[in-house]
Amino acid sequence: MGHAVAKHENILTPSQALERLLSGNARYLAGVDSPDSFQYQPDTLAESQNPYACILGCADSRVSPEHCFDEGQGDLFVTRIAGNFVTQEILGSLEYGTAVLGASLIMVLGHTGCGAIGAAIKAVDSDEDFPGHIQGIATALSPAVTQATSEGSTDSRAVSATRINVALNVDKLRNATPVLRKLVREERLRIVGGLYHVATGAVEIIVD
Ligand SMILES: [Zn+2]
């Protein structure tokens, strides 16, 4: 990469990166997290960054990756979009976070009670279009809703569609581009799926 490493503790294998995320979530759940840990760090981070993990999360106000994984400045490379799905620009951002900045893990992070998934269900059921650009999000999520409807699992359809949407987007990233595929093949990158439970704050690994 050719530039100074900002945080040596962020040089992790994919498995160590996943372990670190989950132990941060455990601290968050136990109420022993450090909510002020995002304090700026001029000595280590003014010149560069080397986050250890990338998150593709929802825009939802209740799901902040830096908080639910109890991480500080320079640790997570976070892309957020309502419905946590892959677009060309999200893909480019995640390629940058991994291939250029060196993160060894990507987590697609869905959550319970997702309004975007709710909108997608409504759009599929009613054949109605949402105003402005909201319909574009509903359309992007409709394959997950359609699959959830046809599978009819024991989960509610919303939870089922949320889980499927995470799985579809993990799959998309794993197969998306030569850049990500190569890193995965060389075992320098792992792409997993998580589900954040808004009622408890717990992150459940649902695609590994
Ligand atoms: Zn959401």
Side-chain angles (χ1 to χ4, degrees):
M1 261 147 272
H3 52 74
V5 169
K7 287 183 146 182
H8 284 278
E9 67 273 28
N10 282 5
I11 302 173
L12 298 173
T13 66
S15 301
Q16 289 170 331
L18 181 57
E19 221 165 276
R20 179 162 154 190
L21 280 182
L22 294 177
S23 57
N25 184 237
R27 289 193 301 279
Y28 177 68
L29 290 176
V32 295
D33 53 325
S34 337
D36 59 350
S37 67
F38 213 86
Q39 181 65 34
Y40 67 92
Q41 301 178 36
D43 295 340
T44 49
L45 292 168
E47 302 299 329
S48 66
Q49 57 167 330
N50 65 320
Y52 72 90
C54 298
I55 310 288
L56 166 51
C58 183
D60 193 290
S61 64
R62 298 163 295 179
V63 191
S64 163
E66 288 86 351
H67 283 275
C68 75
F69 295 117
D70 188 29
E71 287 298 5
Q73 196 184 27
D75 293 327
L76 300 179
F77 193 82
V78 178
T79 60
R80 292 178 69 173
I81 181 170
N84 45 268
F85 64 95
V86 177
T87 67
Q88 289 301 305
E89 295 78 10
I90 293 277
L91 187 51
S93 301
L94 294 173
E95 287 179 352
Y96 183 76
T98 54
V100 179
L101 298 180
S104 64
L105 185 82
I106 297 175
M107 180 183 285
V108 178
L109 184 62
H111 68 99
T112 57
C114 184
I117 290 285
I121 290 177
K122 214 180 263 178
V124 166
D125 285 353
S126 66
D127 265 334
E128 230 174 86
D129 274 6
F130 287 97
H133 293 77
I134 299 173
Q135 182 57 38
I137 294 173
T139 302
L141 301 179
S142 64
V145 173
T146 306
Q147 196 177 322
T149 306
S150 68
E151 280 178 7
S153 93
T154 50
D155 283 331
S156 78
R157 191 158 59 128
V159 171
S160 171
T162 299
R163 288 174 180 274
I164 291 167
N165 181 52
V166 168
L168 290 176
N169 281 285
V170 166
D171 212 52
K172 202 175 258 184
L173 289 175
R174 284 177 180 165
N175 299 298
T177 65
V179 176
L180 295 185
R181 264 204 315 273
K182 181 166 181 286
L183 291 171
V184 170
R185 204 174 43 232
E186 291 169 352
E187 297 182 355
R188 290 159 62 199
L189 173 67
R190 194 162 151 192
I191 304 175
V192 301
L195 180 66
Y196 178 88
H197 293 263
V198 291
T200 64
V203 173
E204 176 194 353
I205 299 302
I206 58 172
V207 184
D208 195 1

